[in-house]
Amino acid sequence: HLANNNKGKIAVSLDQVIEKKTDTVALMSHSPFETDTGLNKSMQIRDKGAFHVSQREAKTHQENLQHLCRICGGSFKTDPCKRSHPVHGPIDDEMQVLLRKKEKKATSWPDLLAKVLKIDVKGDIDTIHPTKFCHQCWTVVQKKLSNSPYEIFFPRRSPVEWQPHSSSCDVCGTSPRGVKRKKQVLNPQLSKKLRIVAGRARKIRQIRNPKQVNQKILMKKIASCKKIHLSTKILAVDYPLDFVKSISCQICGHILADPVETTCKHLFCRACILKCLKVMGSYCPACRYPCFPTDLVSPVKSFLSIMNSLPVICPVKDCQEEVCLGKYCHHLSRHKELK
């Protein structure tokens, strides 16, 4: 009887344990779903809040971009006149006049900025890039088109690299003066120019060296182009002296051959100026202004057409034929073929 009672108690206790286990399993099975739905709701609320914050930040970022220059990153607030120019707009009348003088064509700012400053603005996005540029950068474009020195106006060599808005955004956390630029290493070419300018100023104060009198003779010896370039004596017309000077090289004194123009607006034969820059130093032989081979540009097309239309007399014996300067090389090749 006792044994049967013990067996009954053990069976009841086992049933209770099994019921408890089933209850815990059921609770475990229901609880993950409930927690997942709670987490999803909280995540959705957070995502909505983050979306509204990011949208607000993007708007403020775009508003801040409207006050900055696309090229140099400077603020328009620093300019007392608050002048600005649209990056994707048409070129203004003043710049069009300068382009006509230089015999160049451009109708919109993206084309001109790509030609002059080598900056491609056609693929700009309004949320990343500013849509205007400052008057200082406009002046740089004008100076570069007119082939005049522009380092004093625009000492920066590279434009600002614009990035999308982020937590560490330079545009939103910048000072009112504009985007903070990285410290750039001084360009050795620019520093050399400054040293040459300073040296030139010192030389002006001092008494002129008597050796400078024979500088022209020395430059002619360096060029040594008597057999290559044409003398002004073969001109068929007796032009005024000033006109003859304007079409002759200031180093060798001959008629300009493959003429190039310096930053200081002086004309030389390409071969003569390159030889002088290599031997004498990086300055203009006429006015001693800093000059480098990379600064040399071709004159305007109208000047070159005037040069090519000049009548010259063939210096070959028993010829004395009058030909245009542009066709002189072809005429001379005929003499060589006959020989």
Side-chain angles (χ1 to χ4, degrees):
H1 180 71
L2 285 167
N4 289 330
N5 284 335
N6 288 332
K7 283 179 183 178
K9 286 178 181 177
I10 290 164
V12 170
S13 64
L14 283 169
D15 291 337
Q16 287 175 354
V17 168
I18 289 163
E19 284 177 2
K20 284 181 181 178
K21 281 185 177 179
T22 53
D23 291 339
T24 53
V25 169
L27 284 167
M28 288 288 287
S29 61
H30 286 297
S31 63
F33 292 107
E34 289 173 1
T35 52
D36 285 344
T37 52
L39 283 168
N40 287 332
K41 284 179 182 178
S42 61
M43 286 289 286
Q44 283 176 2
I45 292 161
R46 284 179 187 175
D47 287 340
K48 283 180 182 178
F51 176 73
H52 288 304
V53 169
S54 63
Q55 202 172 15
R56 203 183 309 121
E57 284 180 358
K59 280 184 180 179
T60 53
H61 177 79
Q62 200 166 355
E63 285 172 5
N64 291 332
L65 285 174
Q66 299 303 317
H67 301 292
L68 299 177
C69 173
R70 166 65 178 86
I71 298 164
C72 67
S75 176
F76 299 137
K77 293 175 183 178
T78 56
D79 185 8
C81 300
K82 293 182 181 179
R83 294 166 293 182
S84 62
H85 305 271
V87 173
H88 299 283
I91 296 168
D92 53 279
D93 296 336
E94 193 175 345
M95 196 65 73
Q96 285 284 6
V97 171
L98 183 61
L99 285 167
R100 280 196 293 272
K101 280 184 181 178
K102 289 291 175 181
E103 296 179 347
K104 293 179 181 179
K105 289 182 180 180
T107 53
S108 61
W109 278 113
D111 297 333
L112 191 62
L113 291 173
K115 285 179 183 177
V116 180
L117 298 178
K118 311 296 181 191
I119 300 171
D120 185 19
V121 296
K122 289 181 179 178
D124 282 8
I125 304 166
D126 291 346
T127 54
I128 300 173
H129 303 90
T131 56
K132 296 177 183 178
F133 64 98
C134 63
H135 191 71
Q136 188 180 7
C137 295
W138 182 92
T139 310
V140 173
V141 175
Q142 187 188 35
K143 293 289 174 185
K144 288 196 82 171
L145 277 175
S146 56
N147 196 28
S148 58
Y150 61 92
E151 286 82 7
I152 52 172
F153 296 96
F154 190 54
R156 306 177 183 93
R157 288 287 179 182
S158 59
V160 176
E161 292 181 2
W162 300 96
Q163 301 295 336
H165 178 66
S166 61
S167 57
S168 59
C169 182
D170 292 330
V171 175
C172 297
T174 187
S175 62
R177 292 187 178 180
V179 176
K180 193 176 180 182
R181 300 176 63 87
K182 291 179 182 178
K183 192 176 180 182
Q184 294 181 352
V185 182
L186 281 172
N187 192 351
Q189 190 176 357
L190 178 61
S191 59
K192 191 175 180 181
K193 281 186 180 182
L194 294 172
R195 285 201 304 272
I196 292 165
V197 170
R200 183 186 167 210
R202 283 196 299 270
K203 282 180 182 179
I204 290 167
R205 293 192 197 100
Q206 296 170 358
I207 300 165
R208 282 194 172 186
N209 194 349
K211 289 181 181 179
Q212 289 180 357
V213 179
N214 299 323
Q215 191 177 4
K216 285 190 177 181
I217 299 165
L218 178 63
M219 285 192 295
K220 280 186 179 181
K221 285 181 181 179
I222 291 166
S224 63
C225 59
K226 193 174 181 181
K227 294 180 181 178
I228 306 166
H229 298 158
L230 298 172
S231 173
T232 52
K233 292 177 182 178
I234 68 165
L235 288 167
V237 182
D238 188 15
Y239 291 110
L241 186 63
D242 292 335
F243 179 77
V244 175
K245 281 184 180 180
S246 66
I247 60 164
S248 58
C249 176
Q250 297 195 34
I251 294 172
C252 62
H254 299 144
I255 297 171
L256 288 164
D258 190 12
V260 289
E261 187 180 350
T262 59
T263 313
C264 47
K265 303 289 182 183
H266 292 115
L267 292 166
F268 303 95
C269 303
R270 189 182 290 274
C272 298
I273 185 70
L274 289 175
K275 285 178 184 177
C276 282
L277 290 176
K278 193 175 181 180
V279 178
M280 303 287 289
S282 299
Y283 57 84
C284 174
C287 65
R288 305 199 51 92
Y289 189 84
C291 178
F292 294 85
T294 52
D295 298 334
L296 303 174
V297 293
S298 182
V300 292
K301 291 177 183 177
S302 54
F303 178 80
L304 295 173
S305 63
I306 291 167
M307 285 285 302
N308 291 328
S309 62
L310 290 172
V312 293
I313 297 167
C314 180
V316 179
K317 287 182 180 179
D318 302 328
C319 179
Q320 301 295 314
E321 188 178 338
E322 189 176 308
V323 291
C324 294
L325 186 62
K327 297 177 182 178
Y328 176 76
C329 292
H330 178 68
H331 176 79
L332 197 65
S333 62
R334 282 166 54 195
H335 285 294
K336 288 178 181 178
E337 284 174 5
L338 290 170
K339 283 183 179 180

